[in-house]
Amino acid sequence: MKDKKRLFILGTSITLLLVSSIFFYKYVTLGDQIPIKKITTHKNIKTLIDIKVVKIYTPNDSLDSLVSSDIEITKESFAEEIKTIFNTIHEQSNYQIKDENGNYYPFMDPNIHLLNSYLVGDKLYLNLTPNITNNIKTKEQELLIIYSLVNTYTSLEGINRVKILIDNVEVKKLKWYNLRNFYTQNLDI
């Protein structure tokens, strides 16, 4: 009787060992294949969906025209996206200009901020801080600053015209160019 019990235990142990070996073999050999379910439920898929590609226009190195580049921003509320785009334009326009006296000054004042923005129909209003004019020395520089904003924002879906306000006020002009009118995209600048 004891031999039958030992034989039964030995047979059961061998069977369990064989079954577990088969499952282990399948687990190891199938481990290189990634099931489709794992790909579709990967946590980074949500991050990829929340990225938006935006075309921005910033001055070229010689500061005589605008060049376009694509940036990726996180999809947010409209106002936050507009602010993120403005900050990126501002960061990428951090050129230093040498004046006739040999002194350097920034292309765009480092303290310029977008106070707020709002969209009415296809018209975008950008409300900037008054120090936007602090470092503007030439008509060409002013034109590049205006159109880097206008061309960038009019490249967004649903925006066809841009108006720049200074500290919540519609001003006649910065230094040379009229700000009472709406600006439309001009890719020749």
Side-chain angles (χ1 to χ4, degrees):
M1 188 82 163
K2 283 187 176 184
D3 287 336
K4 284 186 178 183
K5 277 186 177 180
R6 285 185 189 165
L7 192 57
F8 176 75
I9 291 173
L10 181 64
T12 306
S13 298
I14 291 173
T15 305
L16 280 173
L17 183 62
L18 283 172
V19 170
S20 63
S21 297
I22 291 169
F23 280 114
F24 180 74
Y25 175 76
K26 288 201 177 246
Y27 176 75
V28 169
T29 58
L30 293 176
D32 295 336
Q33 299 173 2
I34 300 172
I36 292 176
K37 185 175 181 180
K38 284 188 178 180
I39 292 174
T40 57
T41 59
H42 195 274
K43 66 182 179 181
N44 288 334
I45 294 294
K46 182 174 180 357
T47 304
L48 291 175
I49 293 171
D50 289 343
I51 298 294
K52 181 177 185 177
V53 177
V54 175
K55 185 175 292 295
I56 65 168
Y57 293 84
T58 54
N60 63 2
D61 290 338
S62 58
L63 301 174
D64 58 5
S65 66
L66 296 175
V67 292
S68 67
S69 60
D70 290 335
I71 62 164
E72 292 181 347
I73 64 169
T74 304
K75 287 184 183 177
E76 303 173 281
S77 69
F78 178 76
E80 287 302 314
E81 286 181 8
I82 296 297
K83 192 168 202 146
T84 300
I85 293 167
F86 178 84
N87 291 337
T88 304
I89 292 169
H90 191 253
E91 288 169 14
Q92 291 191 15
S93 298
N94 63 350
Y95 295 98
Q96 293 290 313
I97 299 175
K98 189 174 184 179
D99 66 12
E100 61 277 349
N101 298 328
N103 300 318
Y104 286 93
Y105 63 94
F107 178 78
M108 282 181 82
D109 191 292
N111 299 313
I112 296 172
H113 297 289
L114 178 64
L115 298 173
N116 57 26
S117 62
Y118 52 95
L119 186 65
V120 178
D122 68 342
K123 298 176 276 206
L124 176 67
Y125 293 82
L126 299 172
N127 184 25
L128 305 176
T129 53
N131 56 340
I132 189 169
T133 60
N134 287 357
N135 289 325
I136 295 177
K137 308 285 188 215
T138 66
K139 290 175 80 170
E140 294 78 15
Q141 180 187 8
E142 183 175 321
L143 187 67
L144 287 176
I145 290 172
I146 290 170
Y147 273 99
S148 68
L149 297 172
V150 172
N151 288 350
T152 297
Y153 288 115
T154 55
S155 70
L156 298 175
E157 186 177 334
I159 300 174
N160 294 321
R161 298 181 284 173
V162 175
K163 180 175 270 199
I164 298 171
L165 305 174
I166 305 298
D167 206 17
N168 287 315
V169 176
E170 184 181 279
V171 295
K172 184 175 180 180
K173 58 183 166 179
L174 286 177
K175 287 190 174 184
W176 289 277
Y177 291 96
N178 183 356
L179 289 185
R180 293 202 177 179
N181 298 327
F182 283 94
Y183 283 88
T184 58
Q185 191 172 65
N186 183 349
L187 300 179
D188 294 331
I189 294 178

mmCIF file of all heavy atoms in Angstrom, residues 142-158:
data_model
loop_
_atom_site.group_PDB
_atom_site.id
_atom_site.type_symbol
_atom_site.label_atom_id
_atom_site.label_comp_id
_atom_site.label_asym_id
_atom_site.label_seq_id
_atom_site.Cartn_x
_atom_site.Cartn_y
_atom_site.Cartn_z
ATOM 1 N N GLU A 142 10.589 95.571 -36.977
ATOM 2 C CA GLU A 142 9.186 95.618 -36.565
ATOM 3 C C GLU A 142 8.323 94.746 -37.475
ATOM 4 O O GLU A 142 7.462 94.004 -37.012
ATOM 5 C CB GLU A 142 8.679 97.061 -36.580
ATOM 6 C CG GLU A 142 7.261 97.199 -36.086
ATOM 7 C CD GLU A 142 6.811 98.650 -35.994
ATOM 8 O OE1 GLU A 142 7.607 99.515 -35.584
ATOM 9 O OE2 GLU A 142 5.644 98.908 -36.344
ATOM 10 N N LEU A 143 8.571 94.825 -38.775
ATOM 11 C CA LEU A 143 7.801 94.028 -39.726
ATOM 12 C C LEU A 143 7.996 92.526 -39.481
ATOM 13 O O LEU A 143 7.039 91.752 -39.516
ATOM 14 C CB LEU A 143 8.198 94.392 -41.157
ATOM 15 C CG LEU A 143 7.360 93.772 -42.263
ATOM 16 C CD1 LEU A 143 5.940 94.331 -42.224
ATOM 17 C CD2 LEU A 143 7.997 94.031 -43.611
ATOM 18 N N LEU A 144 9.230 92.106 -39.217
ATOM 19 C CA LEU A 144 9.500 90.693 -38.942
ATOM 20 C C LEU A 144 8.804 90.227 -37.660
ATOM 21 O O LEU A 144 8.268 89.119 -37.597
ATOM 22 C CB LEU A 144 11.004 90.431 -38.843
ATOM 23 C CG LEU A 144 11.778 90.456 -40.148
ATOM 24 C CD1 LEU A 144 13.276 90.284 -39.885
ATOM 25 C CD2 LEU A 144 11.285 89.399 -41.108
ATOM 26 N N ILE A 145 8.785 91.055 -36.650
ATOM 27 C CA ILE A 145 8.108 90.694 -35.396
ATOM 28 C C ILE A 145 6.608 90.544 -35.635
ATOM 29 O O ILE A 145 5.994 89.555 -35.221
ATOM 30 C CB ILE A 145 8.407 91.736 -34.289
ATOM 31 C CG1 ILE A 145 9.869 91.638 -33.849
ATOM 32 C CG2 ILE A 145 7.473 91.537 -33.093
ATOM 33 C CD1 ILE A 145 10.329 92.741 -32.914
ATOM 34 N N ILE A 146 6.017 91.514 -36.315
ATOM 35 C CA ILE A 146 4.569 91.462 -36.580
ATOM 36 C C ILE A 146 4.228 90.214 -37.391
ATOM 37 O O ILE A 146 3.337 89.443 -37.035
ATOM 38 C CB ILE A 146 4.090 92.738 -37.312
ATOM 39 C CG1 ILE A 146 4.144 93.939 -36.369
ATOM 40 C CG2 ILE A 146 2.676 92.548 -37.863
ATOM 41 C CD1 ILE A 146 3.911 95.289 -37.050
ATOM 42 N N TYR A 147 4.955 89.995 -38.481
ATOM 43 C CA TYR A 147 4.592 88.888 -39.362
ATOM 44 C C TYR A 147 5.029 87.519 -38.840
ATOM 45 O O TYR A 147 4.491 86.511 -39.273
ATOM 46 C CB TYR A 147 5.064 89.134 -40.794
ATOM 47 C CG TYR A 147 4.019 89.918 -41.543
ATOM 48 C CD1 TYR A 147 4.139 91.277 -41.721
ATOM 49 C CD2 TYR A 147 2.867 89.288 -42.007
ATOM 50 C CE1 TYR A 147 3.151 92.005 -42.373
ATOM 51 C CE2 TYR A 147 1.882 90.002 -42.666
ATOM 52 C CZ TYR A 147 2.031 91.357 -42.846
ATOM 53 O OH TYR A 147 1.036 92.061 -43.483
ATOM 54 N N SER A 148 5.971 87.467 -37.917
ATOM 55 C CA SER A 148 6.253 86.162 -37.317
ATOM 56 C C SER A 148 5.035 85.717 -36.515
ATOM 57 O O SER A 148 4.662 84.536 -36.531
ATOM 58 C CB SER A 148 7.514 86.191 -36.448
ATOM 59 O OG SER A 148 7.341 86.965 -35.298
ATOM 60 N N LEU A 149 4.366 86.658 -35.876
ATOM 61 C CA LEU A 149 3.133 86.341 -35.138
ATOM 62 C C LEU A 149 1.974 86.075 -36.107
ATOM 63 O O LEU A 149 1.269 85.074 -35.987
ATOM 64 C CB LEU A 149 2.780 87.489 -34.190
ATOM 65 C CG LEU A 149 3.798 87.783 -33.077
ATOM 66 C CD1 LEU A 149 3.425 89.051 -32.334
ATOM 67 C CD2 LEU A 149 3.917 86.607 -32.138
ATOM 68 N N VAL A 150 1.781 86.974 -37.059
ATOM 69 C CA VAL A 150 0.644 86.868 -37.983
ATOM 70 C C VAL A 150 0.721 85.583 -38.808
ATOM 71 O O VAL A 150 -0.243 84.820 -38.883
ATOM 72 C CB VAL A 150 0.563 88.106 -38.899
ATOM 73 C CG1 VAL A 150 -0.481 87.909 -39.991
ATOM 74 C CG2 VAL A 150 0.244 89.349 -38.070
ATOM 75 N N ASN A 151 1.867 85.322 -39.426
ATOM 76 C CA ASN A 151 1.994 84.129 -40.267
ATOM 77 C C ASN A 151 1.840 82.842 -39.465
ATOM 78 O O ASN A 151 1.274 81.873 -39.943
ATOM 79 C CB ASN A 151 3.323 84.132 -41.017
ATOM 80 C CG ASN A 151 3.361 85.156 -42.128
ATOM 81 O OD1 ASN A 151 2.354 85.750 -42.488
ATOM 82 N ND2 ASN A 151 4.539 85.383 -42.669
ATOM 83 N N THR A 152 2.359 82.834 -38.254
ATOM 84 C CA THR A 152 2.227 81.638 -37.412
ATOM 85 C C THR A 152 0.773 81.389 -37.057
ATOM 86 O O THR A 152 0.254 80.281 -37.250
ATOM 87 C CB THR A 152 3.064 81.785 -36.124
ATOM 88 O OG1 THR A 152 4.445 81.896 -36.485
ATOM 89 C CG2 THR A 152 2.864 80.593 -35.208
ATOM 90 N N TYR A 153 0.100 82.388 -36.538
ATOM 91 C CA TYR A 153 -1.268 82.169 -36.067
ATOM 92 C C TYR A 153 -2.267 81.965 -37.210
ATOM 93 O O TYR A 153 -3.220 81.221 -37.052
ATOM 94 C CB TYR A 153 -1.706 83.307 -35.137
ATOM 95 C CG TYR A 153 -0.994 83.230 -33.807
ATOM 96 C CD1 TYR A 153 -0.120 84.224 -33.407
ATOM 97 C CD2 TYR A 153 -1.177 82.151 -32.960
ATOM 98 C CE1 TYR A 153 0.546 84.152 -32.196
ATOM 99 C CE2 TYR A 153 -0.517 82.064 -31.749
ATOM 100 C CZ TYR A 153 0.342 83.073 -31.372
ATOM 101 O OH TYR A 153 1.000 82.977 -30.165
ATOM 102 N N THR A 154 -2.032 82.600 -38.356
ATOM 103 C CA THR A 154 -2.951 82.364 -39.473
ATOM 104 C C THR A 154 -2.719 81.003 -40.124
ATOM 105 O O THR A 154 -3.526 80.566 -40.934
ATOM 106 C CB THR A 154 -2.864 83.477 -40.542
ATOM 107 O OG1 THR A 154 -1.510 83.596 -40.979
ATOM 108 C CG2 THR A 154 -3.387 84.792 -39.999
ATOM 109 N N SER A 155 -1.633 80.335 -39.769
ATOM 110 C CA SER A 155 -1.433 78.968 -40.264
ATOM 111 C C SER A 155 -2.258 77.962 -39.462
ATOM 112 O O SER A 155 -2.382 76.810 -39.855
ATOM 113 C CB SER A 155 0.050 78.587 -40.240
ATOM 114 O OG SER A 155 0.512 78.442 -38.923
ATOM 115 N N LEU A 156 -2.829 78.403 -38.342
ATOM 116 C CA LEU A 156 -3.706 77.535 -37.550
ATOM 117 C C LEU A 156 -5.095 77.502 -38.177
ATOM 118 O O LEU A 156 -5.570 78.501 -38.726
ATOM 119 C CB LEU A 156 -3.810 78.044 -36.106
ATOM 120 C CG LEU A 156 -2.514 78.078 -35.305
ATOM 121 C CD1 LEU A 156 -2.768 78.722 -33.937
ATOM 122 C CD2 LEU A 156 -1.937 76.687 -35.141
ATOM 123 N N GLU A 157 -5.742 76.374 -38.070
ATOM 124 C CA GLU A 157 -7.075 76.212 -38.645
ATOM 125 C C GLU A 157 -8.069 77.168 -37.979
ATOM 126 O O GLU A 157 -8.115 77.303 -36.764
ATOM 127 C CB GLU A 157 -7.551 74.773 -38.444
ATOM 128 C CG GLU A 157 -8.856 74.471 -39.117
ATOM 129 C CD GLU A 157 -9.256 73.013 -38.958
ATOM 130 O OE1 GLU A 157 -8.375 72.158 -38.777
ATOM 131 O OE2 GLU A 157 -10.464 72.746 -39.012
ATOM 132 N N GLY A 158 -8.838 77.875 -38.788
ATOM 133 C CA GLY A 158 -9.890 78.753 -38.290
ATOM 134 C C GLY A 158 -9.465 80.182 -38.030
ATOM 135 O O GLY A 158 -10.283 81.017 -37.675
#
